[in-house]
């Protein structure tokens, strides 16, 4: 099937929407960034972000193109448990809530998750952690960039390369102009667009098709999807839970927000964001379950949402889905660009290349890094190699291995540096082995268990007596 | 009404309700932060 001919919107409408959103985001990026002079303002929005923007940015960043597009796919593969399993991704956000409060308290001058690992465990663990974090960040950047191109193409017929170039360029420009303040400000608007769009879509499905008809059609055509004891789905549920926790606990995307939120905001902001996120994959999955009742033959799982919307609401519905997807993509891509730039600037440049760099110099470096990241992501996305798009799923064992070193390091003075390094290395190694030997659904689980055992053995065998004040006094490199 | 239909209706109904009230909560929080000069 030619995707251009099967696209729901015509390219002109697609370009108009892209142009409108691009102009708004770039203007807001400039507006919010026009007075930014200090490094703290650029990287961490002045460390004074309030509750409303805090909740919205945590929520929007975690709603990626995967949430709106992969959840329908999982609902059609694993049924009700697929929807619930995906929604467990929110557990990571909620568990990070108390950690965000502790991070803010222990490292009031911190910039990145790397700062914590370096100060808590020393250089070896820090460098292992840098590799894990950077691999994950690139995996996520590439998956978002490629998803942008693919979805814009599928929805509007605009060439993959053009769509991908536009979305990466726009996010780079406004992040560059406004730093984290632009990212957080646009995240608020994007959150409102996503929430309103999803609720309209769900309401249409319930109102125009109805629970009874949807249930009856699924029961006749795909009864296994309504089985509440589907074993494969329950296995997926646990793996997804640990993958999500690993992603959030280690990634600087979430740490940079913990540093950026005003004191007292981190805990409630992450908790509320997690609660608001839970229903999104459930509703996105439910929309997919309407396809048998609507008699839709979906060519690709990515197209479930747009096709249902177009069937129920015509072109308006397709535009609605385009806006939701564009918002979901931009809100994650901008956050990742900003957080990865902070990470490279502080942990690689400042930590390894120029230890005496001033804040003004680091501010310039951060901007160069944002442009370079955008360029590198664009180059890697250009050939549209499908294996690169699935790189993120391969990262489960990497990120899960960092869960226990981070939790133990934040809450116990006994956590041992050597054990933390070994936990990350062995957890990743054995997790990857199980990925190939058994299957993707156990990789994060094996990694987290191995890492946990090594951290606990280290604490019992050679307990350290860490002084928390070291985190406060030596936060800067 | 079968168990799966009840479960699906309650699950999705609750999810839609939470999503519908979320923007309202966010806007109330925004106005509160704005008035208290605590936006960022």
């Amino acid at each position: 099937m030619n995707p251009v001919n099967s696209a729901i919107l015509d390219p002109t409408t697609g370009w108009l929407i892209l142009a409108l959103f691009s102009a708004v985001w770039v203007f807001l990026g400039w507006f919010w960034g026009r007075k930014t002079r200090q490094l703290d303002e650029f990287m961490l929005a002045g460390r004074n972000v309030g509750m409303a923007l805090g909740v919205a940015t945590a929520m929007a960043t975690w709603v990626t193109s995967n949430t709106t597009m992969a959840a329908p796919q999982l609902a059609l593969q694993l049924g009700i448990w697929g929807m619930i399993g995906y929604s467990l991704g929110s557990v990571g956000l909620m568990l990070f809530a108390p950690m965000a409060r502790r991070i803010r308290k222990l490292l009031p001058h911190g910039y990145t998750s790397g700062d914590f690992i370096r100060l808590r465990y020393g250089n070896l663990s820090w460098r292992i952690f840098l590799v894990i974090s950077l691999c994950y960040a690139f995996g996520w950047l590439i998956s978002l960039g490629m998803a942008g191109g693919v979805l814009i193409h599928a929805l509007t017929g605009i060439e993959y390369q053009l769509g991908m170039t536009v979305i990466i360029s726009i996010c780079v420009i406004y992040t560059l102009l406004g730093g984290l303040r632009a990212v957080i400000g646009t995240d608020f608007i994007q959150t409102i667009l996503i929430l309103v769009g999803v609720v309209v879509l769900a309401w249409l499905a319930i109102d125009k098709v109805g629970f009874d008809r949807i249930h009856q059609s699924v029961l006749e055509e795909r009864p296994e999807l309504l089985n509440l004891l589907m074993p494969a789905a329950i296995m997926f549920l646990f793996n997804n839970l640990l993958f999500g926790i690993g992603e959030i606990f280690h990634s600087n995307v979430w740490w940079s927000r913990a540093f950026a939120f005003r004191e007292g905001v981190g805990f409630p902001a992450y908790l509320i964001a997690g609660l608001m996120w839970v229903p999104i994959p459930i509703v996105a999955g439910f929309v997919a379950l309407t396809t048998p009742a609507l008699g839709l033959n979906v060519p690709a799982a990515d197209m479930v949402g747009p096709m249902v919307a177009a069937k129920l609401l015509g072109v308006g519905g397709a535009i609605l889905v385009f806006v939701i997807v564009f918002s979901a993509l931009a809100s994650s891509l901008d956050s990742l660009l900003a957080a990865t730039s902070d990470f490279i600037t502080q942990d690689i440049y400042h930590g390894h290349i120029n230890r005496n760099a001033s804040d003004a110099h680091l501010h310039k470096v951060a901007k160069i890094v944002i442009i370079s990241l955008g360029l590198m992501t664009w180059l890697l996305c250009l050939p549209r190699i499908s294996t690169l798009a699935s790189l993120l799923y391969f990262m489960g064992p990497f990120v899960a291995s960092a869960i226990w070193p981070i939790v133990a390091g934040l809450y116990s003075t006994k956590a041992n540096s050597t054990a933390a390094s070994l936990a990350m290395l062995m957890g990743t190694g054995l997790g990857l082995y199980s990925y190939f030997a058994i299957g993707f659904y156990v990789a994060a689980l094996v990694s987290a268990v191995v890492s946990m055992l090594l951290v606990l053995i280290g604490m019992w065998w050679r307990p350290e007596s860490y002084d928390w004040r070291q985190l406060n006094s030596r936060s800067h490199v | 009404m079968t168990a799966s239909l009840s479960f699906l209706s309650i699950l999705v109904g609750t999810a839609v309700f939470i999503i519908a009230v979320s923007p309202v909560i966010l806007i109330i929080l925004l106005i509160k932060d704005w008035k208290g000069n605590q936006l960022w």
Side-chain angles (χ1 to χ4, degrees), chain A residues 51-63 90 93-94 97 191 195 254 261 266-280, chain B residues 18 22 26 29:
Chain A
M51 185 70 79
L53 295 173
V55 174
T57 188
M59 156 86 190
T61 304
W62 202 222
V63 178
S90 63
L93 273 181
M94 290 188 261
T191 305
L195 290 169
W254 311 101
F261 292 167
F267 183 89
Y270 274 106
L271 192 64
I272 297 170
L275 290 171
M276 285 182 176
W277 194 90
V278 175
I280 304 279
Chain B
I18 297 171
S22 295
L26 283 174
L29 287 172

Side-chain angles (χ1 to χ4, degrees), chain A residues 19 73 136 161 216 332 348 352 424 447 458:
Chain A
Q73 184 179 353
Y136 169 77
Q161 279 82 0
Q216 192 57 37
S332 306
I348 306 283
H352 288 87
M424 288 189 276
S447 171

Side-chain angles (χ1 to χ4, degrees), chain A residues 48 50-52 212 215 262, chain B residues 2 4-5 30 33 38-40:
Chain A
N48 209 25
M51 185 70 79
D212 284 337
H215 181 262
R262 173 182 298 125
Chain B
T2 63
S4 59
L5 176 57
L30 188 79
D33 281 352
Q38 293 194 319
L39 212 52
W40 52 23

Side-chain angles (χ1 to χ4, degrees), chain B residues 20-35:
Chain B
V21 297
S22 295
V24 181
I25 294 171
L26 283 174
I27 289 167
I28 291 171
L29 287 172
L30 188 79
I31 294 167
K32 208 176 143 203
D33 281 352
W34 180 278
K35 283 185 175 171

Side-chain angles (χ1 to χ4, degrees), chain A residues 32 48-53 55-56 80 83-84 181 184-185 188 191-192 195-196 198-199 202 206 211-212 214-215 226 228 262 275-276 279-280 282-283 286 289, chain B residues 1-34 36-40:
Chain A
W32 285 322
N48 209 25
V49 175
M51 185 70 79
L53 295 173
V55 174
I80 290 180
M83 294 151 61
I84 296 173
R181 203 161 268 165
I184 287 176
F188 187 89
T191 305
I192 301 290
L195 290 169
V196 171
V198 169
V199 101
I206 295 168
F211 281 117
D212 284 337
I214 293 168
H215 181 262
L226 297 172
L228 298 179
R262 173 182 298 125
L275 290 171
M276 285 182 176
I280 304 279
I282 291 173
V283 171
F286 168 71
L289 294 183
Chain B
M1 188 184 258
T2 63
S4 59
L5 176 57
S6 307
F7 185 73
L8 187 70
S9 309
I10 294 168
L11 182 74
V12 176
T14 312
V16 172
F17 175 75
I18 297 171
I19 302 176
V21 297
S22 295
V24 181
I25 294 171
L26 283 174
I27 289 167
I28 291 171
L29 287 172
L30 188 79
I31 294 167
K32 208 176 143 203
D33 281 352
W34 180 278
N37 201 21
Q38 293 194 319
L39 212 52
W40 52 23

Side-chain angles (χ1 to χ4, degrees), chain A residues 103-125:
Chain A
I103 289 165
R104 185 75 165 77
K105 187 181 160 201
L106 291 178
L107 290 105
H109 311 295
Y111 279 95
T112 68
S113 49
D115 281 345
F116 167 72
I117 297 288
R118 175 175 52 81
L119 293 166
R120 180 65 184 84
Y121 291 127
N123 286 345
L124 178 64
S125 301

Side-chain angles (χ1 to χ4, degrees), chain A residues 76-411:
Chain A
L76 290 177
Q77 280 174 350
L78 303 172
I80 290 180
W81 280 119
M83 294 151 61
I84 296 173
Y86 206 100
S87 74
L88 285 183
S90 63
V91 172
L93 273 181
M94 290 188 261
L95 290 179
F96 194 70
M99 287 171 61
R101 181 171 56 191
R102 189 155 175 82
I103 289 165
R104 185 75 165 77
K105 187 181 160 201
L106 291 178
L107 290 105
H109 311 295
Y111 279 95
T112 68
S113 49
D115 281 345
F116 167 72
I117 297 288
R118 175 175 52 81
L119 293 166
R120 180 65 184 84
Y121 291 127
N123 286 345
L124 178 64
S125 301
W126 179 39
R127 285 174 185 137
I128 296 167
F129 182 77
L130 285 182
V131 174
I132 290 174
S133 264
L134 286 175
C135 286
Y136 169 77
F138 274 106
W140 196 8
L141 273 172
I142 294 164
S143 102
L144 284 173
M146 287 184 73
V150 169
L151 292 171
I152 291 171
H153 180 56
L155 287 165
T156 66
I158 292 171
E159 284 298 324
Y160 163 81
Q161 279 82 0
L162 285 173
M164 183 269 294
T165 306
V166 169
I167 188 138
I168 293 176
S169 309
I170 295 312
C171 290
V172 166
I173 292 169
Y174 75 76
T175 308
L176 194 64
L177 290 169
L180 191 62
R181 203 161 268 165
V183 170
I184 287 176
T186 51
D187 276 359
F188 187 89
I189 302 166
Q190 286 153 355
T191 305
I192 301 290
L193 289 173
I194 293 167
L195 290 169
V196 171
V198 169
V199 101
V200 168
L201 197 56
W203 183 256
L204 281 171
I206 295 168
D207 187 49
K208 294 201 173 181
V209 190
F211 281 117
D212 284 337
R213 206 175 127 206
I214 293 168
H215 181 262
Q216 192 57 37
S217 304
V218 176
L219 203 59
E220 282 166 13
E221 294 182 30
R222 304 281 306 277
E224 74 279 7
L225 298 182
L226 297 172
N227 182 358
L228 298 179
L229 293 169
M230 201 173 177
I234 295 170
M235 289 282 277
F236 161 79
L237 199 133
F238 284 106
N239 198 68
N240 201 44
L241 179 71
L242 282 170
F243 193 174
I245 292 173
E247 282 181 280
I248 291 179
F249 279 20
H250 96 283
S251 173
N252 194 48
V253 167
W254 311 101
W255 281 70
S256 64
R257 278 157 177 73
F259 295 127
F261 292 167
R262 173 182 298 125
E263 205 172 342
V265 166
F267 183 89
Y270 274 106
L271 192 64
I272 297 170
L275 290 171
M276 285 182 176
W277 194 90
V278 175
I280 304 279
I282 291 173
V283 171
F286 168 71
V287 169
L289 294 183
T290 61
T291 51
L294 292 171
L296 289 173
N297 184 20
V298 185
D302 282 357
M303 293 304 290
V304 172
M307 286 184 72
V308 171
K311 178 87 176 180
L312 296 172
L313 200 68
V315 176
I319 291 175
L320 183 75
V321 171
F322 189 39
V323 170
I324 297 173
V325 170
F326 189 73
S327 301
L329 275 165
S331 63
S332 306
L333 193 52
D334 59 5
S335 300
L336 193 55
L337 278 169
T340 311
S341 156
D342 295 355
F343 199 70
I344 293 174
T345 305
Q346 286 292 351
D347 292 275
I348 306 283
Y349 183 78
H350 197 197
H352 288 87
I353 299 168
N354 185 356
R355 297 176 77 89
N356 299 317
S358 65
D359 279 3
H361 180 70
L362 290 173
H363 190 171
K364 282 181 196 161
V365 173
K367 289 186 168 190
I368 295 168
V369 173
I370 291 173
I371 297 171
S372 311
L373 275 174
L375 200 61
M376 208 180 295
T377 308
W378 179 77
L379 279 172
L380 288 166
C381 290
L382 205 56
R384 199 177 170 175
I385 303 165
S386 56
T387 44
L388 276 180
S390 55
L391 186 68
L392 185 63
Y393 302 105
F394 190 67
M395 296 310 299
F398 286 78
V399 299
S401 75
I403 296 174
W404 287 97
I406 286 172
V407 174
L410 268 175
Y411 288 97

